[in-house]
Amino acid sequence: MDTLTALLEGPKARSAFFIKSVFTPPWAVRIEDRAPLSVMTTVNGSAWLLPDGGEPVLVEPGEAVLVRGPDPYTVGDDRDTPVQIRVGPDQRCSRVDDGEDVSDSMALGVRTWGEEAGSVVLLSGTYQEPGEIGSRLLDALPRVLVGPVDPSLVTLLGGEISRSEPAQDVVLGRLLDLLVIGVVRDWLAERGGAESDPVTGPALRLLHENPAHGWTVESLARKVGVSRAALARRFTELVGEPPMTYLTGWRLALAADLLRDPSTTLASAAHQVGYSSAFALSTAFKRVRGISPRQFRAGAPRRSAQSRSWAASYGYKRQAPMVPPHPSGPGARQ
C-alpha cells in the first residue's frame, strides 16, 4: 500500500447528511453544526464562503469544497448579505431574526431544501463520524480546501441525492467519498512531500504495506538501503517524527478502525496490527490516546493533545485556509 492510498483510505461515509439546497438571492446561511468534515459543490450559480477568521472565497461550478470543522462559517450569495438562516449541531434550521424552526417548512422534497425555483443550487454532504484513519486525514487538511471536480460525478450526485431507493445512503456515501478523495488527491499531488523522497518514500511504503512486521530502525534502513542514522535523520526531517513513533501511530490508527467493528476482538486487532497480545495493544492505546480500547468503543473522546500531525507523514504541514468550504446544509438525514 502506498502512503497516498493509506491516507485516502479513511473517507468512508457511514452516517453522513446530504442536502440539495436551492436559494434565490439575496441569501446567507450560517453553519454551526460542528461537523468534522463537510463537502459542497455548486450545480447552478456561485456562492461565497466566509470562514470565521479567514478570507472569503468565491465557489463556482466545477469545484468541490472541503471544510474541516468544527469552527462555524457562512455561505451566501454575497459577502455582505446578512445571515438569514442558522444550521445548528442537530442539523435543524432556524431563522436568525425570530428563531423559528424552518427545517420542515422549507423542505422541497427528498433531501431538498430551500426556495422554489431558486437560481442557486448547492449539493452538500457532511461527515458526522469519520473513521479513525479518516481523522488522520483531517489532521492533514487545511481548514478550507477547494479543487476541480468531475462534472459527471456532480451530475450523478445531483440525480441520486433526491432519490429514495433501497440502500440509497450507501450510494450517496460512496459518491461523497469520491468527491473528497478526488480533491485531496489532487492537492497532495501538487504539494509533493515525503513519499517522493528516495529514502523516506520507500520506508513509508514498507510500514504501510506490513504494519504488523516487527520493524526496527535497523531492519527498515536495511530494506531501504541506507544507514540507520541516515534513515532516522531523513525520516524525522520530512515526516516530523521518528520512524518507530510514526509506526506506533499508524498501528493504533488501524487498530482503532478495526475496533469499530463489534465483532473484532481486541486480541484479533492486536495481531493484525503487530502487537503480541491484547494487553500490549491496550497499554499502547491508552498511553498514546489517553483512553482504553474499551472506552474508545464506548465512544469516549480521544485525547486531542495526542493527535498526530499525519500531514507531516507525507511532508504536508497543515496550512492556513487555501481555498474554501461548504455549507453542510440544512436538513434531512440520509
Side-chain angles (χ1 to χ4, degrees):
M1 178 191 303
D2 62 71
T3 52
L4 185 57
T5 298
L7 183 64
L8 293 178
E9 269 200 330
K12 297 182 182 72
R14 298 183 179 97
S15 59
F17 283 88
F18 295 90
I19 200 74
K20 178 189 291 185
S21 302
V22 184
F23 298 113
T24 299
W27 63 274
V29 179
R30 176 73 170 171
I31 310 297
E32 299 178 354
D33 62 1
R34 301 188 62 80
L37 181 65
S38 299
V39 187
M40 180 190 77
T41 185
T42 62
V43 178
N44 295 322
S46 59
W48 280 95
L49 179 93
L50 293 81
D52 286 14
E55 290 296 320
V57 182
L58 181 63
V59 185
E60 299 183 292
E63 298 173 332
V65 186
L66 279 56
V67 57
R68 176 174 52 80
D71 295 337
Y73 56 96
T74 300
V75 180
D77 70 300
D78 188 85
R79 289 177 289 183
D80 298 321
T81 299
V83 173
Q84 301 153 344
I85 303 292
R86 173 186 174 272
V87 180
D90 55 359
Q91 295 294 330
R92 301 298 294 179
C93 309
S94 58
R95 295 191 187 279
V96 171
D97 56 358
D98 57 11
E100 178 187 356
D101 189 319
V102 294
S103 302
D104 298 327
S105 62
M106 293 185 68
L108 300 176
V110 177
R111 301 185 189 88
T112 305
W113 188 93
E115 303 167 339
E116 292 281 2
S119 59
V120 178
V121 179
L122 311 176
L123 305 179
S124 304
T126 300
Y127 289 80
Q128 298 296 303
E129 300 172 2
E132 196 61 17
I133 300 177
S135 294
R136 290 207 160 205
L137 172 59
L138 293 181
D139 286 343
L141 292 176
R143 183 186 171 196
V144 177
L145 177 63
V146 65
V149 63
D150 185 342
S152 63
L153 185 56
V154 175
T155 299
L156 183 58
L157 179 60
E160 293 288 344
I161 203 169
S162 299
R163 297 181 64 184
S164 180
E165 302 288 345
Q168 193 66 12
D169 55 343
V170 176
V171 173
L172 292 172
R174 298 298 80 78
L175 292 175
L176 182 61
D177 293 342
L178 287 173
L179 280 175
V180 172
I181 289 171
V183 173
V184 174
R185 181 175 58 187
D186 287 348
W187 175 63
L188 295 180
E190 288 177 1
R191 298 184 66 78
E195 167 141 304
S196 61
D197 182 74
V199 173
T200 306
L204 283 168
R205 286 190 286 276
L206 287 167
L207 296 179
H208 285 175
E209 288 168 359
N210 193 359
H213 183 73
W215 293 109
T216 63
V217 176
E218 183 176 355
S219 65
L220 190 60
R222 187 164 54 247
K223 280 282 189 179
V224 175
V226 298
S227 70
R228 175 178 174 174
L231 174 63
R233 181 176 60 253
R234 189 63 175 165
F235 196 102
T236 303
E237 177 185 341
L238 291 182
V239 175
E241 57 188 0
M244 295 302 100
T245 303
Y246 175 84
L247 177 59
T248 296
W250 174 232
R251 284 172 169 171
L252 294 180
L254 292 172
D257 216 38
L258 290 170
L259 291 172
R260 291 179 182 276
D261 182 351
S263 66
T264 301
T265 66
L266 186 58
S268 173
H271 175 74
Q272 292 182 63
V273 303
Y275 284 91
S276 59
S277 66
F279 177 78
L281 172 59
S282 182
T283 300
F285 202 99
K286 189 166 186 178
R287 183 184 72 250
V288 172
R289 296 176 175 270
I291 58 174
S292 69
R294 183 185 297 276
Q295 290 172 312
F296 173 79
R297 274 185 152 162
R302 185 175 53 147
R303 186 169 62 186
S304 60
Q306 294 297 331
S307 175
R308 299 191 184 285
S309 176
W310 169 321
S313 309
Y314 301 85
Y316 312 116
K317 307 288 184 182
R318 178 179 283 179
Q319 304 291 314
M322 289 178 51
V323 254
H326 103 286
S328 71
R333 185 186 296 269
Q334 66 171 20

